[in-house]
Amino acid sequence: MDHPGATRMADPLHNEFPPESLEARDLRHLLHPTTNLKLHHQTGPRIHDHAQGVYLWDSQGKQYLEGMAGLWCTALGYGEEELVRVATEQMRKLSYSQLFGSKSNEPSILLAERLTRMVPFDLTRVFFGLSGSDANDTQMKLMWYYHNAIGKPEKKKIVSRWRGYHGVTVASGSLTGLPNFHKHFDLPIAGVLHTDCPHYYRGAEAGESEAAFVERIVGNLEALIEREGADTIAAFIAEPVLGAGGVIVPPAGYYARVQALLAQHDILFIDDEVICGFGRTGKPFGAETMGIVPTTMSLAKAVSSAYLPLSAVLLPEFMYEPIVEQSGQVGTFGHGFTYSGHPVCAAVALRTLELMEERDLFAHAARVGGPFQARLRALGDHPLVGEARGIGLIGAVELVEDKACRKAFAPSRGVGAYCMARCEANGLIVRALGDSLAICPPLIISADQVDELFSKLATALDETLAWLATG
Ligand SMILES: Cc1ncc(COP(=O)(O)O)c(C=O)c1O
C-alpha cells in the first residue's frame, strides 16, 4: 500500500503515463540524483532496459549508441560475460568479507598489488571505497590525519578549482567547483579554497595569449597561497582533464607551473583520476598525459568498468608510515566503510584490469582517439560550435550564440538540453553540461562506431540550428 503522501507529488504532473507503468511508478517513488526534478515531473524518465557492447536499448525498444560510457565509466562496454562469470564465482565462494580489524580477502590483496604495480608513480598503499566521492572524502581525511601525525596541525586546507568535479558528499561536494552542487546545500565547508579554472577559451582576457593566461591564473594561485599562508594549505586537488565541468584540457605549461609552485610551498598534489584513469586520455593515466607527478591518486569508475562499484585511494609510503604510528597511539585507524574491499567488487575490478591488459585496451583507445579527435575538431566549423575540445576518447562541443565573440546562449533557452534531446532522438547518448555536450564513449568503441557517433551528433547540431532559426 502506498503511503497517501506518496501520490502527492504525482498530482501536479499531469503526465500521460498509465498508473502501473514503470514511468508512473518512478515518478511516485524515486528521488533522482543530479536531475532537474521539476522538469522530470513533466517529462518522466527514460528507462534503460538492456545493453550490449557500445549500444543500449530503452524500454520502448529504441537503440542508442552509448556516447557517454554511462557516467564516464563503462570502459569495457556492456554485457561482458567474463565479468559476469567472475562476479558469480566470487559470490558463491565468498560473497562478503571486510577489511576492518585486520581481516582480509584475496581479491582485495591482489587488486591492491595490481594497482600499485600499474601506476607509474611511487604509490604503495591502497584504501578501497565504493565511489569517487568517498575516495575524495578519504583523500581529505587522510591529508588531515597525516598532517596531524607529522606535527603540522595547521596545514589542513585543500585548494580545488572552479568547474572541477570531485563528487557530492559533504567534503567532496565542497571540493567540486560547480555552483549548482553548492547552492542550498550550505557548501562548501570551511577549509576548501577554489582557484581559477584553466579554461583558456572561456577564461582568457581579450587578446591574452595562452601562455599569458597560464601565467595569470598561476599568479592568482600564488596570491591565494600567500594570502592564506602556505603553512595552512595541505593539498591541491585536480582532475588532469576536467570532466563534468565541461571537458577542459588545461593549456600547455599549466601543470608544470602549478607543480613548481606547490613544491615550493610544500603543498601535496591529489590527482583525481576518477574519469581520466585507465586509458581515457590516450595513456593509462591522465597524469601521464598531462605531465603530472602526483602525491596521491583517486581511482573509480573504469577500474571496475562500472560492473560493480569500487574506488581506490593510492598513497605513498611517506604518508602511510606516520598514519600507522598515529593509529597505534589512538588505538585504531578510525576510517573505513562496510564495503571497503568488498570481495565481489574487488574480483570484478581485478578481472577488468586483466581484460584491459589482455586486450591491449589502452593502445586501442589511443589509436581510436586519433579519428575521434579528428571528427570532433571538424565539428568546430559548425556555425553553432564555439569550441570543439578534448583529448584521447573524451571531448566536448560548446554551443554558442556568436562564434566571433564567444557569446554564450542565455541559459534559459536550454540550447544544450535541446541538442542533447536531438542526439537522443537520433539514437545517441551524450551529456549536456550547460551548453557543452560531452562525449566519452566506452573505450572498446571501433573507428566505424566513432563515425556513427559523430554523424549522429552532426545531425543533431543541424537540427538544433534549424530550431534556433525558427525563433
Ligand atoms: C573526477 C571525478 N571525481 C569524483 C567523482 C565522483 O564519483 P561518484 O559519482 O562515484 O561519487 C566523479 C564523478 O563523475 C568524477 O568525475
Side-chain angles (χ1 to χ4, degrees), residues 232-417:
T232 71
I233 302 176
F236 173 84
I237 184 167
E239 307 157 78
V241 173
L242 292 85
V247 185
I248 295 155
V249 185
Y254 168 76
Y255 281 117
R257 291 282 289 109
V258 167
Q259 288 178 102
L261 182 61
L262 300 180
Q264 194 187 322
H265 292 288
D266 191 22
I267 296 171
L268 306 180
F269 196 121
I270 303 170
D271 173 19
D272 183 345
E273 294 270 351
V274 167
I275 288 180
C276 294
F278 306 101
R280 177 57 62 192
T281 63
K283 293 201 171 152
F285 295 94
E288 294 167 279
T289 304
M290 301 307 296
I292 298 166
V293 181
T295 318
T296 65
M297 281 173 124
S298 291
L299 305 172
K301 295 193 190 273
V303 67
S304 59
S305 206
Y307 278 74
L308 285 173
L310 183 124
S311 68
V313 169
L314 271 62
L315 292 182
E317 208 63 14
F318 82 81
M319 286 183 71
Y320 179 68
E321 281 164 9
I323 289 172
V324 171
E325 278 310 307
Q326 185 159 265
S327 84
Q329 287 160 25
V330 175
T332 188
F333 172 63
H335 180 69
F337 307 108
T338 300
Y339 301 128
S340 286
H342 192 293
V344 185
C345 302
V348 165
L350 186 62
R351 191 68 191 120
T352 298
L353 301 183
E354 287 169 2
L355 290 176
M356 286 174 168
E357 186 179 341
E358 287 165 22
R359 297 174 186 175
D360 211 4
L361 188 67
F362 300 163
H364 167 82
R367 253 190 326 272
V368 180
F372 179 94
Q373 290 299 325
R375 291 286 314 252
L376 175 71
R377 302 303 158 125
L379 290 180
D381 295 333
H382 192 278
L384 263 185
V385 176
E387 187 184 38
R389 53 180 181 255
I391 192 163
L393 276 178
I394 187 168
V397 287
E398 181 162 338
L399 312 187
V400 292
E401 187 164 358
D402 185 334
K403 280 174 80 122
C405 65
R406 305 183 177 185
K407 183 176 176 221
F409 287 105
S412 57
R413 294 180 75 179
V415 176

Side-chain angles (χ1 to χ4, degrees), residues 71-72 131-134 136 165-167 239 244 272 274-275 301:
L71 283 173
W72 333 80
S131 70
S133 297
D134 73 42
N136 289 328
Y165 187 85
H166 301 289
E239 307 157 78
D272 183 345
V274 167
I275 288 180
K301 295 193 190 273

Side-chain angles (χ1 to χ4, degrees), residues 91-353:
M91 273 191 208
R92 288 212 175 93
K93 186 177 176 203
L94 179 67
S95 58
Y96 173 74
S97 118
Q98 49 168 306
L99 298 185
F100 280 34
S102 296
K103 309 294 183 300
S104 201
N105 61 75
E106 187 178 7
S108 296
I109 296 166
L110 299 188
L111 179 61
E113 197 175 70
R114 190 173 185 102
L115 286 171
T116 56
R117 268 207 326 261
M118 245 183 119
V119 297
F121 308 109
D122 196 12
L123 304 176
T124 51
R125 301 284 163 178
V126 183
F127 177 89
F128 287 121
L130 289 167
S131 70
S133 297
D134 73 42
N136 289 328
D137 269 42
T138 293
Q139 291 277 12
M140 208 154 152
K141 286 181 74 181
L142 288 176
M143 286 297 165
W144 295 343
Y145 203 84
Y146 165 72
H147 281 97
N148 287 331
I150 63 168
K152 292 187 176 173
E154 302 303 318
K155 207 165 166 63
K156 294 284 170 55
K157 295 174 193 161
I158 314 281
V159 181
S160 172
R161 298 175 298 187
W162 291 117
R163 292 178 71 186
Y165 187 85
H166 301 289
V168 296
T169 48
V170 172
S172 70
S174 297
L175 297 172
T176 288
L178 296 165
N180 284 351
F181 291 82
H182 293 166
K183 239 181 254 167
H184 308 302
F185 288 111
D186 295 2
L187 298 180
I189 53 171
V192 173
L193 309 167
H194 290 96
T195 191
D196 297 83
C197 172
H199 190 196
Y200 176 68
Y201 177 76
R202 275 282 159 233
E205 291 172 351
E208 192 175 39
S209 70
E210 213 171 68
F213 170 69
V214 167
E215 282 313 305
R216 181 167 59 81
I217 65 171
V218 174
N220 289 343
L221 176 58
E222 188 165 20
L224 175 76
I225 293 169
E226 273 161 20
R227 212 164 45 243
E228 297 286 331
D231 51 353
T232 71
I233 302 176
F236 173 84
I237 184 167
E239 307 157 78
V241 173
L242 292 85
V247 185
I248 295 155
V249 185
Y254 168 76
Y255 281 117
R257 291 282 289 109
V258 167
Q259 288 178 102
L261 182 61
L262 300 180
Q264 194 187 322
H265 292 288
D266 191 22
I267 296 171
L268 306 180
F269 196 121
I270 303 170
D271 173 19
D272 183 345
E273 294 270 351
V274 167
I275 288 180
C276 294
F278 306 101
R280 177 57 62 192
T281 63
K283 293 201 171 152
F285 295 94
E288 294 167 279
T289 304
M290 301 307 296
I292 298 166
V293 181
T295 318
T296 65
M297 281 173 124
S298 291
L299 305 172
K301 295 193 190 273
V303 67
S304 59
S305 206
Y307 278 74
L308 285 173
L310 183 124
S311 68
V313 169
L314 271 62
L315 292 182
E317 208 63 14
F318 82 81
M319 286 183 71
Y320 179 68
E321 281 164 9
I323 289 172
V324 171
E325 278 310 307
Q326 185 159 265
S327 84
Q329 287 160 25
V330 175
T332 188
F333 172 63
H335 180 69
F337 307 108
T338 300
Y339 301 128
S340 286
H342 192 293
V344 185
C345 302
V348 165
L350 186 62
R351 191 68 191 120
T352 298
L353 301 183

